[in-house]
Amino acid sequence: MNAATLRLVLDQIAGMFPDARCELNHRNPFELTIAVLLSAQCTDETVNKVTATLFEKYREPQDYLNVPLEELENDIRRIGLFRNKASNIQKLCRLVIDKHGGEIPRKHEELTELPGVGRKTANVVVSNAFDVPAIAVDTHVERVSKRFGVCKPDDSVLEVEKKLMKKVPRDEWTITHHRLIFFGRYHCKAQNPRCDVCPVLEHCKEGKSRLKAGLKKRSVTK
DNA sequence: AACTCGGGGCA
DNA sequence: TGCCCAGAGTT
């Protein structure tokens, strides 16, 4: 899919989700980093339920170090992979205090040095906390990009990111990321995507074949 | 490239 | 109930 066609698709998606913004609860870069780290492999909704009370108890890096690991684990127990994440959060806080003066660093390479922070999380942090344009490729962004042929089906996550950046103006990277997330989460879902009511179906090879197969299946069943 | 971690969401 | 998932780290 070329840049011009992608632009058409993204404009349609923008109309579907005019308020597309990832709704992670955060008031500063530190809380955003913790929230995104927690969100790995579970829904933002679940993270928000936990952070709503978590951020009342833990306000700065030192607060996470003032409790035993077991206590922090218990405080985030409702989130998947909570043992890894609790451990990572304490190590992260230790590092932020010792090497970054208690503040979340702004450089991408410094962010990915933090335990539990990979490329995706770092992109979310720089784009949402520091206003640096970035496209964080999660499974939604990856799935949608591949269904619409923005990239090849077997491209790596990094390749997906590169091709999106190449085809989208730099000042629209971050909003595009949010829109693709919403589109992927609520419409172009992994299971049972809404191809039957999709306004950009004409640009989606996979969707068209999926719909055709579905219709065929129905007609055969009847 | 494949595996692990793990409670939640959904069928 | 049993499957899959808004990743990252290790081997």
Side-chain angles (χ1 to χ4, degrees), chain A residues 73-141:
Chain A
E73 286 179 353
N74 193 56
D75 288 338
I76 64 171
R77 185 169 291 279
R78 296 186 52 195
I79 291 183
L81 315 181
F82 65 90
R83 270 185 274 268
N84 290 338
K85 291 174 182 176
S87 167
N88 281 338
I89 286 172
Q90 286 198 330
K91 291 178 193 164
L92 180 151
C93 289
R94 179 82 273 153
L95 209 56
V96 164
I97 290 172
D98 291 347
K99 295 194 176 178
H100 302 291
E103 300 289 331
I104 293 294
R106 306 173 74 96
K107 288 184 184 173
H108 196 280
E109 60 199 69
E110 292 174 325
L111 283 165
T112 52
E113 283 173 7
L114 301 173
V117 178
R119 183 173 188 83
K120 182 255 178 181
T121 300
N123 280 355
V124 172
V125 171
V126 297
S127 61
N128 290 281
F130 300 131
D131 289 323
V132 177
I135 299 178
V137 179
D138 63 8
T139 60
H140 293 306
V141 175

Side-chain angles (χ1 to χ4, degrees), chain A residues 160-178:
Chain A
V160 178
E161 183 182 330
K162 284 184 188 171
K163 289 179 180 177
L164 280 170
M165 289 193 295
K166 199 164 143 187
K167 296 175 182 180
V168 175
R170 179 182 161 85
D171 63 345
E172 293 180 21
W173 286 353
T174 302
I175 186 61
T176 295
H177 157 249
H178 284 118

Side-chain angles (χ1 to χ4, degrees), chain A residues 160-204:
Chain A
V160 178
E161 183 182 330
K162 284 184 188 171
K163 289 179 180 177
L164 280 170
M165 289 193 295
K166 199 164 143 187
K167 296 175 182 180
V168 175
R170 179 182 161 85
D171 63 345
E172 293 180 21
W173 286 353
T174 302
I175 186 61
T176 295
H177 157 249
H178 284 118
R179 286 172 179 157
L180 289 178
I181 298 256
F182 269 68
F183 183 66
R185 186 202 299 172
Y186 297 116
H187 187 94
C188 195
K189 300 180 288 184
Q191 293 97 15
N192 306 318
R194 309 292 309 279
C195 304
D196 53 335
V197 293
C198 185
V200 285
L201 180 68
E202 61 174 310
H203 299 114
C204 181

Side-chain angles (χ1 to χ4, degrees), chain A residues 17-29:
Chain A
F17 305 100
D19 300 317
R21 274 303 151 209
C22 291
E23 64 274 6
L24 285 171
N25 291 331
H26 68 278
R27 294 180 286 269
N28 54 56

